[in-house]
Amino acid sequence: MTLRHIVSWKLSGETREARDGQAAEIIAALEALPALVPTLNALTAHRNELFDGDNYDVTLIADFDDEAGLSAYVVHPDHVVAGAVIKKYAVARVATDFTL
């Protein structure tokens, strides 16, 4: 079983360029996590490319063995640090979790 966790954020930057910078910082923080969080099996983070302003700006796709693995990730100190980077810029968040 694989639990897939998908999260998207709208960012606060006033311009595309500002949001690009915010997104780059967020993606860098997230992409460091697979080497640091043992329950995280896979992670990709992407900057939205189309329909700027309408779509969310950054999306995370992360895979875990199960809900316990996701729960451990949420409280892991390195995830908390990455979350602080996201919270500096995010004005909205949506998420979904499902089993593959």
Side-chain angles (χ1 to χ4, degrees):
M1 174 175 99
T2 297
L3 179 68
R4 179 151 291 164
H5 175 63
I6 300 176
V7 184
S8 295
W9 298 274
K10 275 220 176 248
L11 304 180
S12 62
E14 295 286 325
T15 64
R16 172 72 190 210
E17 292 76 23
R19 290 187 303 279
D20 284 346
Q22 293 171 342
E25 189 175 340
I26 288 168
I27 290 168
L30 291 171
E31 288 181 339
L33 294 177
L36 303 170
V37 181
T39 62
L40 179 54
N41 296 336
L43 179 146
T44 58
H46 305 275
R47 174 69 170 103
N48 177 62
E49 297 176 13
L50 301 176
F51 309 109
D52 186 54
D54 292 328
N55 289 348
Y56 276 58
D57 297 296
V58 176
T59 296
L60 160 78
I61 303 168
D63 291 341
F64 302 88
D65 287 338
D66 51 28
E67 184 179 353
L70 173 58
S71 294
Y73 163 81
V74 168
V75 298
H76 191 281
D78 293 302
H79 174 262
V80 172
V81 170
V85 173
I86 295 164
K87 287 178 182 178
K88 285 194 312 189
Y89 304 122
V91 295
R93 175 188 182 273
V94 295
T96 191
D97 301 291
F98 55 89
T99 302
L100 298 177

